[in-house]
Amino acid sequence: LVDQFDFAAVGSMVWTFDGSSTGWSMQRQSRVWGINWRQVTSAARHGTEEGATVMLRSAHGRRSSWLSAREDGSVSCVDTEADWWEQWVPHRYQEAGGQVKLALRSVAHGTWLSV
């Protein structure tokens, strides 16, 4: 179902859909249709484990560069001190075939790093 809501949209989604007066209310959906939103958004059902935030650094001679996320989903290496843009959340998960994988999600943009 849903592994991660885009972090920028979560506040808007909850504000818009969690009011008890609308037909789209998450509270109403739980009550009338039996939708368990906690289960829908739970990563545990897929065996996913979210790790602590990390910053990835590569050494180039005497300089060090941090892997930095861009808004368009691309990445770059920056020589400045690491900041919010250089933070990544590791997600360990298991594919349907049983293979264990690791994915990194940008803290700044919520986009996924794929290689």
Side-chain angles (χ1 to χ4, degrees):
L1 295 171
V2 178
D3 285 329
Q4 288 279 330
F5 286 112
D6 183 294
F7 80 102
V10 171
S12 175
M13 181 186 74
V14 173
W15 179 264
T16 303
F17 296 111
D18 205 27
S20 59
S21 63
T22 72
W24 289 103
S25 165
M26 294 169 96
Q27 295 173 25
R28 182 175 180 271
Q29 292 170 10
S30 294
R31 188 178 64 251
V32 176
W33 297 320
I35 295 175
N36 182 338
W37 283 105
R38 183 170 303 212
Q39 185 178 13
V40 169
T41 59
S42 171
R45 72 187 181 288
H46 294 301
T48 301
E49 295 175 22
E50 185 175 303
T53 302
V54 297
M55 294 183 203
L56 303 176
R57 183 158 129 187
S58 111
H60 297 286
R62 294 186 195 147
R63 296 182 337 180
S64 65
S65 297
W66 298 94
L67 186 65
S68 182
R70 292 183 177 164
E71 192 169 1
D72 66 2
S74 65
V75 296
S76 64
C77 287
V78 296
D79 295 329
T80 59
E81 191 59 37
D83 199 355
W84 189 49
W85 311 103
E86 291 74 50
Q87 294 181 24
W88 301 88
V89 178
H91 290 264
R92 181 185 170 275
Y93 65 97
Q94 191 169 5
E95 288 190 326
Q99 186 177 11
V100 175
K101 296 262 187 156
L102 178 69
L104 297 173
R105 182 176 50 85
S106 164
V107 170
H109 300 294
T111 53
W112 294 91
L113 175 65
S114 60
V115 290

